[in-house]
């Protein structure tokens, strides 16, 4: 039974509530969003979309067959799900990155300072592409790939809006991408979380 638990989620819900021997042990459940006691409250974004929501659980019955993975292995399951979401290292991720870099390379402007920013973005993008290709699509560098990609996309949207000058104030498809950009640094784990993971799990730095 799940009660009084609130989670901010995107398109799906993850719930955990269990303890054994005084230490937290989290099962991973697949929650029926239409089950009695599930209250879904959409969160409106700057774009006007409602891709995120808050989920409140009030005495929600949870059958045992709704558990995914070992009874006390939910944290590992959650980390594997997030690794896949963060990776962007598969074929689709590489193709979308190449298209993004081609679009950036096509941008033009008379401002030399913005031109320098554009060159630096392209260098970062090709460095990310090389890293993804050398990693072979594996999850080991998922946090690094996620951090580099979302920071690149955020900075690219800022730069593209600058290049549009006063037209950047007009409402169109490009404006929606600009308003959506900050959310990319949060989805799948914020940039701050990714930096912690890289420091502790890849570089072996102390907590």
């Amino acid at each position: 039974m799940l009660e009084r638990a609130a989670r901010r989620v995107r398109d799906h819900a993850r719930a955990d509530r269990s303890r054994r021997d005084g230490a937290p042990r989290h099962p991973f459940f697949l929650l029926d969003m239409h089950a009695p006691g599930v209250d879904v409250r959409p969160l409106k974004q700057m774009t006007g979309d409602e891709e995120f929501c808050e989920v409140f659980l009030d005495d929600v019955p949870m059958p045992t067959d709704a558990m995914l993975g070992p009874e006390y292995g939910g944290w590992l399951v959650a980390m594997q799900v997030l690794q896949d979401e963060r990776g962007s290292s598969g074929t689709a991720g590489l193709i979308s990155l190449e298209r993004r870099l081609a679009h950036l390379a096509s941008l033009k402007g008379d401002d030399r300072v913005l031109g320098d920013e554009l060159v630096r973005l392209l260098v970062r993008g090709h460095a990310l592409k090389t890293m993804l290709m050398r990693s072979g699509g594996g999850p080991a560098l998922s946090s690094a790939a996620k951090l580099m990609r979302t920071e690149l996309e955020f900075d690219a949207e800022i730069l593209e809006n600058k290049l549009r000058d006063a037209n950047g104030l007009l409402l169109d498809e490009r404006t929606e991408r600009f308003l959506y950009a900050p959310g990319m640094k949060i989805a799948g784990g914020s940039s701050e979380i990714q930096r912690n993971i890289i420091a502790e799990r890849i570089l072996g730095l102390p907590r």
Side-chain angles (χ1 to χ4, degrees):
M1 189 76 72
L2 300 175
E3 59 180 17
R4 291 186 298 277
R7 297 287 183 270
R8 183 168 295 182
V9 297
R10 177 174 182 167
D11 301 329
H12 53 278
R14 306 180 184 97
D16 53 24
R17 180 176 287 258
S18 182
R19 283 183 176 271
R20 178 200 283 178
D21 300 330
R25 296 290 185 268
H26 307 293
F28 190 106
F29 294 106
L30 299 178
L31 178 64
D32 182 358
M33 302 298 285
H34 299 286
V38 178
D39 181 14
V40 179
R41 303 178 187 179
L43 299 172
K44 189 175 291 291
Q45 302 158 228
M46 289 191 294
T47 59
D49 296 326
E50 296 179 346
E51 295 181 329
F52 293 82
C53 62
E54 287 181 317
V55 179
F56 293 85
L57 310 176
D58 186 12
D59 292 333
V60 179
M62 185 61 61
T64 55
D65 61 1
M67 185 168 59
L68 180 64
E71 182 177 1
Y72 295 104
W75 184 251
L76 178 60
V77 175
M79 290 302 97
Q80 290 173 336
V81 170
L82 285 173
Q83 271 191 344
D84 181 69
E85 182 178 351
R86 294 167 180 164
S88 301
S89 55
T91 302
L94 281 170
I95 291 175
S96 67
L97 177 59
E98 288 181 344
R99 290 175 176 171
R100 186 64 166 140
L101 293 176
H103 171 71
L104 290 175
S106 69
L107 297 179
K108 297 179 181 179
D110 298 326
D111 191 314
R112 291 187 177 182
V113 174
L114 295 181
D116 287 344
E117 289 185 26
L118 177 59
V119 170
R120 285 193 290 269
L121 279 176
L122 289 170
V123 170
R124 287 166 53 189
H126 284 287
L128 171 59
K129 176 183 173 182
T130 300
M131 187 189 75
L132 293 177
M133 294 178 67
R134 289 184 176 180
S135 70
L141 295 179
S142 61
S143 287
K146 194 273 180 186
L147 176 64
M148 293 175 67
R149 181 66 186 268
T150 54
E151 293 287 331
L152 174 70
E153 293 287 356
F154 177 78
D155 292 341
E157 291 298 339
I158 297 295
L159 175 60
E160 189 166 354
N161 203 58
K162 289 179 181 178
L163 289 171
R164 293 176 64 197
D165 201 13
N167 290 328
L169 299 175
L170 301 177
L171 183 60
D172 59 18
E173 180 182 348
R174 290 172 294 182
T175 307
E176 183 171 347
R177 292 204 312 264
F178 173 73
L179 294 175
Y180 185 81
M184 295 187 291
K185 301 173 67 173
I186 300 173
S190 68
S191 293
E192 290 75 18
I193 290 176
Q194 306 313 316
R195 290 186 175 96
N196 280 343
I197 293 174
I198 293 168
E200 295 171 6
R201 302 182 186 179
I202 298 180
L203 301 178
L205 299 178
R207 291 178 177 270

